[in-house]
Amino acid sequence: MNFKEEEVYEITEIFGNIAHRFSLYRKIGVLAGEAFDTMGMKTMQFIRTPCGWKISSIAWDDEKIGLAIPERYRK
């Protein structure tokens, strides 16, 4: 599989030992012989530990018919 993903825009907020990152991404590649070029959003949560920041969760969804990325994230 040929695949590339890049972050296009992000908002990161930190409060004490917790953080949240909302990220617009673009992914391009070929899967099962079919080319694709799409965008989506990820949400990532982090906690600060004595060893540094650690990911506590990640979730994502791709843009599709009926689910458009809001313009405020397309800066």
Side-chain angles (χ1 to χ4, degrees):
M1 182 174 98
N2 181 12
F3 181 78
K4 177 183 177 186
E5 181 176 297
E6 64 182 330
E7 186 176 63
V8 177
Y9 177 78
E10 60 83 14
I11 298 172
T12 301
E13 298 174 318
I14 300 170
F15 180 80
N17 292 317
I18 59 173
H20 172 257
R21 185 178 189 99
F22 206 42
S23 176
L24 170 63
Y25 64 87
R26 180 178 184 200
K27 61 183 180 178
I28 302 167
V30 177
L31 179 61
E34 296 283 327
F36 63 88
D37 182 348
T38 191
M39 298 182 88
M41 297 294 295
K42 287 184 182 177
T43 178
M44 294 168 271
Q45 286 71 47
F46 303 85
I47 56 171
R48 187 183 346 231
T49 73
C51 296
W53 288 99
K54 304 295 181 187
I55 296 171
S56 60
S57 69
I58 300 175
W60 64 91
D61 203 353
D62 292 341
E63 187 171 48
K64 52 190 153 265
I65 295 172
L67 182 60
I69 294 169
E71 285 301 315
R72 69 182 177 271
Y73 300 119
R74 295 180 180 270
K75 295 181 181 182

